[in-house]
Amino acid sequence: MTTDATPRLRAVLANREFRALWFAETQSLVGDQLTVVALSILVYDRTGSALWTAAVYGLTFLPALAGGLGLSQLADLFPRRTVLVATSLLQAVCIGLMAIPGTPIVVLCLLIVLAKLAAAPGISAQNSLGREIFTDDHRYLQSQDLRGISANTATLLGLAGGGLLVAALGTSWALTIDALTYLIGAIVVGAGVRGRPAAGERGAGWFGAIKYVFGRPRLRVLIWLSWLVGFAVIPEGVAVPLVQELGASNQAVGWLLAADPLGFVVGTFLLSRYVSPDGRRRALGLLAIVPLLLLTTFAFRPNLIISMLILGLAGAAGAYFITVGATYITWVPNEIRGAAGGLYRTGLRVVQGIGVAIGGGVAQLLGSAGTAIAVAGAAGVVVAVPIAVSWARVRNATSPGTVTP
């Protein structure tokens, strides 16, 4: 039975402003899955080079880092609805130009960089608006649950049918569809979200957000909790050699990659429906350890089905991550939420990249992807336990309901 402490996910969609934000984000995420596949196919067909293909794919990450380091503060300095609409339109233009047949590879790379740079302040604006729209902790956390479920469902759809759809439509049409999703998103947000004045003051900047966040113990520990994803992401980076170790076909790579987001969707739904926000915050430390502990079981060399089950359970426990992000945004003052959110996302990108790189290196050194995953899990547990203890110590540093750390 659903209580007031655990309102149904659909309740947040009753809010017109959030409904506009959610729709704009979700349909563009689905379009982005098509773009990732289309670019990989397009570049490889044009160059025949795996290096070029990997380099162009890498460009989808690098500008996000640069944007997170500075451009995210635009969401504080200017009205957030304006920032979100403008960045969506810029991404629509960039991706639309990429869809033109025969666009040179160098121009494609430049357009990718511009589109991803534009995404940084747009994401910060969207995240900050979400907390402004929902002042109630219950509803706000529910809204982030719905966003998490939608994002991972989009990933699953991309893994399941992105390649087939791009093959059927062609790369130009796939990119055109993604461009249209951003155009539609800009229109929906402009019509459905109320205008608000700029939240921040000029001069505070990104370094001010760093000083604020790392100067507050509770926010600092939340950052550490988020960085544990650097250990949990390692199975994704070694999925191909793991499948080979298991003696399965290459088709199983997609199954393994889908296990985590599928588990995440299930875990998020269960937490959202049955556990209150306070209960989820109390459980953060424990839930952060569980996914890493599950990864250590790869030391026993499980078969394909058991491996998928382990990764699915790890993904379900990893749903704690939404509570980390939502609590972080809640405890950061509104006037620096854009810049602080950029700091948060940049840290995630960095630790994920480092984790995948180190995981691949350890797998190469040990000659076993499964062993590398187990080692990552064990190392993650060692790191996570003191962080969990720190969280238990600092989470009640102020009285319940106080949002300033």
Side-chain angles (χ1 to χ4, degrees):
M1 179 177 179
T2 302
T3 67
D4 289 339
T6 54
R8 295 181 185 274
L9 285 175
R10 66 171 178 262
V12 298
L13 289 175
N15 183 288
R16 179 172 179 265
E17 290 189 282
F18 176 75
R19 190 165 62 245
L21 288 176
W22 173 80
F23 175 79
E25 179 185 41
T26 301
Q27 50 103 39
S28 65
L29 284 173
V30 174
D32 285 346
Q33 299 302 310
L34 295 180
T35 288
V36 170
V37 176
L39 282 177
S40 298
I41 294 173
L42 178 62
V43 173
Y44 189 75
D45 284 348
R46 296 264 295 277
T47 66
S49 168
L51 178 60
W52 260 110
T53 304
V56 171
Y57 180 73
L59 285 177
T60 64
F61 292 93
L62 293 179
L65 296 180
L69 292 174
L71 294 179
S72 58
Q73 66 182 302
L74 295 177
D76 298 326
L77 302 179
F78 298 95
R80 286 163 177 161
R81 184 185 66 175
T82 301
V83 171
L84 186 50
V85 169
T87 55
S88 294
L89 290 174
L90 181 54
Q91 289 177 89
V93 170
C94 290
I95 298 171
L97 292 174
M98 288 162 56
I100 298 174
T103 302
I105 297 297
V106 173
V107 177
L108 280 176
C109 292
L110 178 61
L111 291 170
I112 292 169
V113 169
L114 289 175
K116 292 303 177 180
L117 285 174
I123 294 172
S124 287
Q126 170 143 331
N127 289 339
S128 301
L129 277 170
R131 182 70 253 203
E132 287 187 283
I133 289 170
F134 291 111
T135 56
D136 176 78
D137 279 357
H138 292 64
R139 287 290 188 264
Y140 173 63
L141 187 52
Q142 289 277 315
S143 73
Q144 300 312 292
D145 289 336
L146 183 56
R147 288 181 65 197
I149 289 173
S150 301
N152 280 273
T153 300
T155 299
L156 287 169
L157 290 174
L159 289 170
L164 293 175
L165 192 56
V166 172
L169 297 175
T171 55
S172 290
W173 274 110
L175 290 167
T176 300
I177 289 172
D178 192 21
L180 287 174
T181 65
Y182 281 103
L183 178 59
I184 292 170
I187 295 171
V188 170
V189 169
V193 176
R194 177 170 61 85
R196 294 171 173 82
E201 298 179 358
R202 299 182 187 277
W206 197 75
F207 289 105
I210 293 177
K211 182 179 179 181
Y212 186 92
V213 169
F214 284 99
R216 269 71 179 175
R218 293 201 301 175
L219 293 177
R220 193 164 59 238
V221 175
L222 285 171
I223 289 283
W224 293 342
L225 283 168
S226 74
W227 286 355
L228 292 174
V229 74
F231 296 100
V233 77
I234 286 176
E236 296 180 24
V238 296
V240 174
L242 178 61
V243 165
Q244 293 176 350
E245 282 182 29
L246 297 173
S249 66
N250 287 336
Q251 184 180 8
V253 173
W255 301 343
L256 278 176
L257 291 175
D260 183 274
L262 180 59
F264 190 94
V265 168
V266 174
T268 301
F269 175 79
L270 293 175
L271 283 175
S272 181
R273 187 176 180 87
Y274 297 112
V275 186
S276 70
D278 287 342
R280 291 167 69 167
R281 285 177 184 147
R282 285 194 299 271
L284 273 184
L286 176 62
L287 289 177
I289 295 171
V290 171
L292 303 170
L293 197 59
L294 285 167
L295 294 186
T296 64
T297 61
F298 275 89
F300 301 103
R301 301 186 179 279
N303 61 28
L304 177 62
I305 300 300
I306 300 300
S307 296
M308 292 171 58
L309 179 61
I310 292 170
L311 293 177
L313 290 173
Y320 82 90
F321 198 76
I322 290 179
T323 309
V324 173
T327 303
Y328 175 86
I329 289 296
T330 294
W331 287 350
V332 168
N334 187 41
E335 60 268 20
I336 64 167
R337 277 180 182 151
L343 168 65
Y344 182 86
R345 291 191 307 279
T346 299
L348 290 184
R349 289 286 192 177
V350 170
V351 298
Q352 285 175 311
I354 292 174
V356 168
I358 292 178
V362 172
Q364 181 71 26
L365 179 65
L366 299 178
S368 169
T371 302
I373 293 173
V375 169
V381 170
V382 170
V383 174
V385 167
I387 294 176
V389 172
S390 296
W391 173 248
R393 186 175 65 249
V394 304
R395 68 178 173 85
N396 290 323
T398 56
S399 59
T402 302
V403 297
T404 302

